[in-house]
Every structure is written in C-alpha cells, then in structure tokens.
Amino acid sequence: MFHKNIKLAIATLLTAWAIYQFSQVNIMNGISILLLAGIFVLLYFKNEFILMAFLQLRKQNFEGTKKWLGYIKNPEAALITKQQGYYNYLHGIILSQTNITQAEKFLRKAVKLGLAMDHDLAMAKLQLAGIAMTKRRKREATNLMAEAKKLDKHGMLKDQMKMMKDQMKKI
C-alpha cells in the first residue's frame, strides 16, 4: 500500500519520463507512459482497496469486505478525506451487524469526514437513525431520518424509511 503522496510523486516522475520520450520522438512510448501515470492519478482519488471492499460488499460478503479494508493500515496517511469517509462508512456497515456502539462511532466519523455521493450520506444517516432508535433516542433518530430524507433525492431509501417510521411509532 502506497502513501497517497507517493502515488502523486510516481505519477509526476512518469509524466516527466513521458515528456522526455516525446522530446526524443518516441511518441508511442510517451503515450503509453502517460497512460501509466494516469493509473496512479486515478488510484490517488479512488483507492484500490476501497474499490475491492465495495465489490465484496455488493456480494454481501462481509468477511471479504473486512479483509480488503484490513489492508489499509494507516487510513489517515494512505487516503484522502473522502476516502477516509468511505473507509469509516464501510467499517460502520460491517460492524452494524455485530457491534452497534462501534458501528455508530465509525458512521459518525464517516458523516463528519463527508461522503462523495448524497445517497451514501443518506444511507449513513439512516443507519445512524436506526442505531439511535435501538438506543431509545427518538428525537435524534427523527432528526437523522429527516436529514436522510432530504439527501435521498431519487427515493432509493423510501421503503427503509417507511419501515423505520413504523418502528419508531412503537417506541
């Protein structure tokens, strides 16, 4: 696992090498090296281990997700801020199956760091609302549900919100 700044340094060196290749009239070599530099820039913004963890989560393989997240030893050094948000978001989702208190901690940190997509942020707030509801904090759960509803512009979480509102009436 590379430090996030090392990825940029490698991309810069590769770009300089590509410029040298262009100056030597090796156009195809320069283009190929620029494409290689582009991969490092892409991996700066989209961490490879988080992408693999999302693929495992899509398959409902929580152990595989945990394994891929385990490869990230120091998230503050290896990830940019949004990626740290997704790192904590994934940990929160995994832990919501077993340890609600730890899941709440990770999800709150993910919301604080920010997530790139509104529906991911809405899902995190909905998870937090569910945790608050299980801990008998109805006002907090209601506020989080309202925030999640504002963020869910496409209505993807409508059914989950309806179920949670029905459960909240029983508290």
Side-chain angles (χ1 to χ4, degrees), residues 1-5 7 43-50 66 68-92 105-106 109-110 113:
M1 172 95 189
F2 293 123
H3 189 280
K4 60 184 174 189
N5 294 332
K7 291 178 186 177
L43 292 178
Y44 176 79
F45 291 106
K46 301 288 182 188
N47 186 276
E48 61 274 14
F49 295 125
I50 290 179
K66 197 172 192 176
W68 281 108
L69 288 176
Y71 288 125
I72 302 172
K73 301 296 183 216
N74 186 1
E76 287 79 22
L79 305 173
I80 61 175
T81 307
K82 294 282 185 193
Q83 291 173 349
Q84 289 176 34
Y86 277 104
Y87 175 82
N88 288 303
Y89 173 68
L90 287 170
H91 267 295
K105 182 183 96 168
F106 278 111
K109 192 170 182 183
L113 289 170

Coordinates of all heavy atoms in Angstrom, one line a residue, residues 1-5 7 43-50 66 68-92 105-106 109-110 113:
M1 N 0.8 -1.2 0.0 CA 0.0 0.0 0.0 C 0.9 1.2 0.0 O 1.7 1.4 0.9 CB -0.9 -0.1 1.2 CG -1.7 1.2 1.5 SD -3.3 1.0 0.8 CE -3.8 2.6 1.0
F2 N 0.7 2.1 -1.0 CA 1.5 3.3 -1.1 C 0.8 4.4 -0.3 O -0.4 4.5 -0.2 CB 1.5 3.7 -2.6 CG 2.3 2.8 -3.5 CD1 1.8 2.3 -4.6 CD2 3.6 2.5 -3.1 CE1 2.5 1.4 -5.4 CE2 4.4 1.7 -4.0 CZ 3.8 1.1 -5.1
H3 N 1.7 5.3 0.2 CA 1.2 6.5 0.8 C 0.6 7.4 -0.3 O 1.0 7.3 -1.5 CB 2.4 7.2 1.5 CG 2.0 8.4 2.3 ND1 1.7 9.6 1.8 CD2 1.9 8.6 3.6 CE1 1.4 10.5 2.7 NE2 1.5 9.9 3.9
K4 N -0.4 8.2 0.0 CA -1.1 8.9 -1.0 C -0.2 9.9 -1.8 O -0.3 10.1 -3.0 CB -2.3 9.7 -0.5 CG -2.0 10.7 0.6 CD -3.2 11.3 1.2 CE -2.8 12.2 2.4 NZ -4.0 12.6 3.1
N5 N 0.8 10.5 -1.1 CA 1.7 11.4 -1.8 C 2.7 10.7 -2.6 O 3.2 11.2 -3.6 CB 2.4 12.3 -0.7 CG 1.5 13.2 0.0 OD1 0.4 13.5 -0.6 ND2 1.8 13.5 1.2
K7 N 2.0 8.1 -4.5 CA 1.3 7.9 -5.8 C 1.4 9.1 -6.7 O 1.6 9.0 -7.9 CB -0.2 7.6 -5.5 CG -0.4 6.3 -4.9 CD -1.9 6.0 -4.6 CE -2.1 4.8 -3.8 NZ -3.5 4.6 -3.4
L43 N -5.7 6.1 -9.0 CA -5.6 5.4 -7.7 C -5.4 6.4 -6.5 O -5.6 6.0 -5.4 CB -4.4 4.4 -7.7 CG -4.7 3.2 -8.6 CD1 -3.5 2.2 -8.6 CD2 -6.0 2.4 -8.3
Y44 N -4.9 7.6 -6.8 CA -4.9 8.6 -5.8 C -6.3 9.0 -5.3 O -6.5 9.1 -4.1 CB -4.1 9.9 -6.3 CG -4.1 11.0 -5.3 CD1 -3.2 11.0 -4.2 CD2 -5.0 12.1 -5.4 CE1 -3.2 12.0 -3.3 CE2 -4.9 13.1 -4.5 CZ -4.0 13.1 -3.4 OH -4.0 14.1 -2.5
F45 N -7.2 9.1 -6.3 CA -8.5 9.6 -6.0 C -9.5 8.4 -5.7 O -10.5 8.6 -4.9 CB -9.1 10.4 -7.1 CG -8.4 11.7 -7.3 CD1 -7.6 12.0 -8.3 CD2 -8.7 12.7 -6.4 CE1 -6.9 13.2 -8.5 CE2 -8.0 14.0 -6.5 CZ -7.2 14.2 -7.5
K46 N -9.2 7.2 -6.2 CA -10.0 6.1 -6.0 C -9.1 4.9 -5.5 O -8.5 4.3 -6.2 CB -10.8 5.6 -7.2 CG -11.6 6.6 -7.9 CD -12.9 6.8 -7.0 CE -13.8 7.8 -7.7 NZ -14.9 8.2 -6.9
N47 N -9.1 4.8 -4.2 CA -8.2 3.8 -3.6 C -8.6 2.4 -4.0 O -9.8 2.0 -4.0 CB -8.2 3.9 -2.0 CG -7.2 3.0 -1.4 OD1 -7.5 1.8 -1.2 ND2 -6.1 3.5 -1.1
E48 N -7.6 1.6 -4.4 CA -7.9 0.2 -4.9 C -8.5 -0.7 -3.9 O -9.4 -1.5 -4.2 CB -6.6 -0.4 -5.5 CG -5.4 -0.5 -4.5 CD -4.6 0.7 -4.4 OE1 -4.9 1.8 -4.8 OE2 -3.5 0.5 -3.8
F49 N -8.1 -0.6 -2.6 CA -8.6 -1.5 -1.6 C -10.1 -1.1 -1.2 O -10.9 -2.0 -1.0 CB -7.7 -1.4 -0.4 CG -6.3 -2.0 -0.6 CD1 -5.2 -1.2 -0.3 CD2 -6.2 -3.2 -1.1 CE1 -4.0 -1.7 -0.6 CE2 -4.9 -3.8 -1.4 CZ -3.8 -3.0 -1.1
I50 N -10.4 0.1 -1.3 CA -11.8 0.5 -1.0 C -12.7 0.1 -2.2 O -13.8 -0.4 -1.9 CB -11.9 2.0 -0.8 CG1 -11.2 2.4 0.6 CG2 -13.3 2.5 -0.8 CD1 -11.2 3.8 0.9
K66 N -14.2 -7.0 5.0 CA -13.3 -6.7 6.2 C -11.8 -7.0 5.8 O -10.9 -6.3 6.2 CB -13.8 -7.6 7.3 CG -13.2 -7.2 8.7 CD -13.9 -8.0 9.8 CE -13.7 -7.4 11.1 NZ -14.4 -8.1 12.2
W68 N -10.4 -6.8 2.8 CA -9.8 -5.8 2.0 C -9.6 -4.5 2.7 O -8.6 -3.8 2.5 CB -10.7 -5.5 0.7 CG -10.6 -6.5 -0.3 CD1 -11.5 -7.5 -0.6 CD2 -9.4 -6.7 -1.2 NE1 -11.0 -8.3 -1.6 CE2 -9.7 -7.8 -2.0 CE3 -8.2 -6.1 -1.3 CZ2 -8.8 -8.3 -2.9 CZ3 -7.4 -6.5 -2.3 CH2 -7.7 -7.6 -3.1
L69 N -10.5 -4.1 3.7 CA -10.3 -2.9 4.5 C -9.1 -3.1 5.4 O -8.4 -2.2 5.8 CB -11.5 -2.6 5.3 CG -12.7 -2.0 4.5 CD1 -13.9 -1.8 5.4 CD2 -12.3 -0.8 3.8
G70 N -8.8 -4.4 5.8 CA -7.7 -4.6 6.7 C -6.3 -4.3 6.0 O -5.3 -4.2 6.7
Y71 N -6.3 -4.3 4.7 CA -5.0 -4.0 4.0 C -4.6 -2.5 4.2 O -3.5 -2.1 4.0 CB -5.1 -4.3 2.5 CG -5.1 -5.8 2.2 CD1 -6.1 -6.4 1.5 CD2 -4.1 -6.6 2.7 CE1 -6.1 -7.7 1.2 CE2 -4.1 -8.0 2.4 CZ -5.1 -8.5 1.6 OH -5.1 -9.8 1.3
I72 N -5.6 -1.7 4.6 CA -5.3 -0.3 4.8 C -4.9 -0.1 6.2 O -5.7 -0.1 7.1 CB -6.5 0.6 4.5 CG1 -6.9 0.4 3.0 CG2 -6.2 2.1 4.7 CD1 -8.3 1.1 2.7
K73 N -3.6 0.0 6.5 CA -3.0 0.0 7.8 C -3.2 1.4 8.5 O -3.6 1.5 9.6 CB -1.5 -0.4 7.8 CG -1.3 -1.7 7.3 CD -1.9 -2.8 8.1 CE -1.5 -4.2 7.5 NZ -2.6 -5.1 7.6
N74 N -2.9 2.5 7.8 CA -3.0 3.8 8.3 C -3.9 4.7 7.4 O -3.4 5.3 6.5 CB -1.6 4.4 8.5 CG -1.6 5.7 9.2 OD1 -2.6 6.2 9.6 ND2 -0.4 6.3 9.3
P75 N -5.2 4.7 7.6 CA -6.1 5.4 6.7 C -5.8 6.9 6.5 O -6.0 7.5 5.5 CB -7.5 5.2 7.3 CG -7.3 4.3 8.4 CD -5.9 4.1 8.7
E76 N -5.3 7.6 7.6 CA -5.0 9.0 7.5 C -3.9 9.3 6.6 O -3.9 10.3 5.9 CB -4.7 9.6 8.9 CG -5.9 9.7 9.8 CD -6.3 8.4 10.5 OE1 -5.4 7.5 10.5 OE2 -7.5 8.2 10.9
A77 N -2.9 8.4 6.5 CA -1.8 8.6 5.6 C -2.0 8.1 4.2 O -1.5 8.7 3.2 CB -0.5 7.9 6.2
A78 N -2.8 7.1 4.1 CA -2.9 6.5 2.7 C -4.1 7.0 2.0 O -4.2 6.8 0.7 CB -3.1 5.0 2.9
L79 N -5.1 7.6 2.6 CA -6.3 8.0 1.9 C -6.6 9.5 2.0 O -6.2 10.2 3.0 CB -7.5 7.3 2.6 CG -7.4 5.8 2.7 CD1 -8.6 5.2 3.5 CD2 -7.4 5.1 1.3
I80 N -7.2 10.0 1.0 CA -7.7 11.4 1.0 C -8.9 11.5 1.9 O -9.5 10.4 2.3 CB -7.9 12.0 -0.4 CG1 -9.0 11.3 -1.1 CG2 -6.6 12.1 -1.1 CD1 -9.3 11.9 -2.5
T81 N -9.4 12.7 2.2 CA -10.5 12.8 3.2 C -11.8 12.1 2.8 O -12.4 11.4 3.6 CB -10.8 14.3 3.4 OG1 -9.6 15.0 3.7 CG2 -11.8 14.6 4.5
K82 N -12.2 12.2 1.6 CA -13.4 11.5 1.1 C -13.3 10.0 1.3 O -14.2 9.3 1.6 CB -13.8 11.8 -0.3 CG -14.2 13.3 -0.5 CD -15.6 13.5 0.0 CE -16.0 15.0 -0.3 NZ -17.2 15.4 0.3
Q83 N -12.1 9.5 0.9 CA -11.8 8.0 1.0 C -11.8 7.6 2.5 O -12.3 6.5 2.8 CB -10.5 7.7 0.4 CG -10.5 7.8 -1.1 CD -9.1 7.6 -1.7 OE1 -8.1 7.6 -1.0 NE2 -9.0 7.5 -3.0
Q84 N -11.3 8.5 3.4 CA -11.4 8.1 4.8 C -12.8 8.0 5.2 O -13.2 7.2 6.1 CB -10.7 9.2 5.6 CG -9.2 9.2 5.5 CD -8.5 10.3 6.3 OE1 -9.0 10.7 7.3 NE2 -7.5 10.9 5.7
G85 N -13.7 8.9 4.7 CA -15.1 8.8 5.0 C -15.7 7.5 4.5 O -16.4 6.8 5.3
Y86 N -15.4 7.0 3.3 CA -15.8 5.7 2.8 C -15.2 4.6 3.6 O -15.9 3.6 3.8 CB -15.6 5.6 1.3 CG -16.7 6.3 0.5 CD1 -16.4 7.5 -0.1 CD2 -17.9 5.7 0.4 CE1 -17.4 8.1 -0.8 CE2 -18.9 6.3 -0.3 CZ -18.6 7.5 -0.9 OH -19.6 8.2 -1.6
Y87 N -14.0 4.7 4.1 CA -13.4 3.7 4.9 C -14.2 3.5 6.2 O -14.5 2.4 6.6 CB -11.9 4.1 5.2 CG -11.2 3.2 6.1 CD1 -10.6 2.0 5.7 CD2 -11.0 3.5 7.5 CE1 -9.9 1.2 6.5 CE2 -10.3 2.7 8.3 CZ -9.7 1.6 7.8 OH -9.1 0.7 8.7
N88 N -14.5 4.6 6.8 CA -15.3 4.5 8.1 C -16.7 4.1 7.8 O -17.3 3.4 8.6 CB -15.3 5.9 8.8 CG -13.9 6.2 9.4 OD1 -13.4 5.4 10.2 ND2 -13.3 7.3 9.0
Y89 N -17.3 4.5 6.7 CA -18.6 4.1 6.3 C -18.7 2.6 6.1 O -19.6 1.9 6.6 CB -19.0 4.8 5.0 CG -20.3 4.4 4.3 CD1 -21.5 4.7 4.9 CD2 -20.2 3.8 3.1 CE1 -22.7 4.3 4.2 CE2 -21.4 3.4 2.4 CZ -22.6 3.7 3.0 OH -23.8 3.4 2.4
L90 N -17.7 2.0 5.4 CA -17.7 0.5 5.2 C -17.5 -0.2 6.6 O -18.2 -1.2 6.8 CB -16.6 0.1 4.2 CG -16.9 0.5 2.8 CD1 -15.6 0.3 1.9 CD2 -18.0 -0.3 2.3
H91 N -16.6 0.3 7.4 CA -16.5 -0.3 8.7 C -17.8 -0.2 9.5 O -18.1 -1.2 10.2 CB -15.3 0.4 9.5 CG -14.0 -0.3 9.3 ND1 -13.7 -1.6 9.8 CD2 -12.9 0.2 8.8 CE1 -12.5 -1.9 9.5 NE2 -11.9 -0.9 8.9
G92 N -18.5 0.9 9.4 CA -19.7 1.1 10.1 C -20.8 0.1 9.7 O -21.5 -0.5 10.5
K105 N -19.8 4.8 16.1 CA -18.6 5.6 16.1 C -18.1 5.8 14.7 O -17.8 6.9 14.2 CB -17.6 4.9 17.0 CG -16.3 5.7 17.1 CD -15.3 5.0 17.9 CE -14.4 4.2 17.0 NZ -13.2 3.6 17.5
F106 N -18.0 4.7 13.9 CA -17.5 4.7 12.6 C -18.4 5.5 11.6 O -17.9 6.3 10.8 CB -17.3 3.3 12.0 CG -16.0 2.7 12.5 CD1 -16.0 1.6 13.3 CD2 -14.8 3.2 12.0 CE1 -14.8 1.0 13.7 CE2 -13.6 2.6 12.4 CZ -13.6 1.5 13.3
K109 N -18.1 9.2 12.3 CA -16.9 9.8 11.7 C -17.0 9.9 10.2 O -16.5 10.8 9.6 CB -15.7 8.8 12.1 CG -14.4 9.4 11.8 CD -13.2 8.6 12.4 CE -11.9 9.3 12.1 NZ -10.8 8.4 12.6
A110 N -17.7 8.9 9.5 CA -17.9 9.0 8.1 C -18.7 10.2 7.7 O -18.4 10.9 6.7 CB -18.5 7.7 7.6
L113 N -16.5 13.3 8.1 CA -15.5 13.4 7.0 C -16.1 13.7 5.7 O -15.5 14.3 4.8 CB -14.6 12.2 6.9 CG -13.7 11.9 8.1 CD1 -13.1 10.5 8.0 CD2 -12.6 13.0 8.1

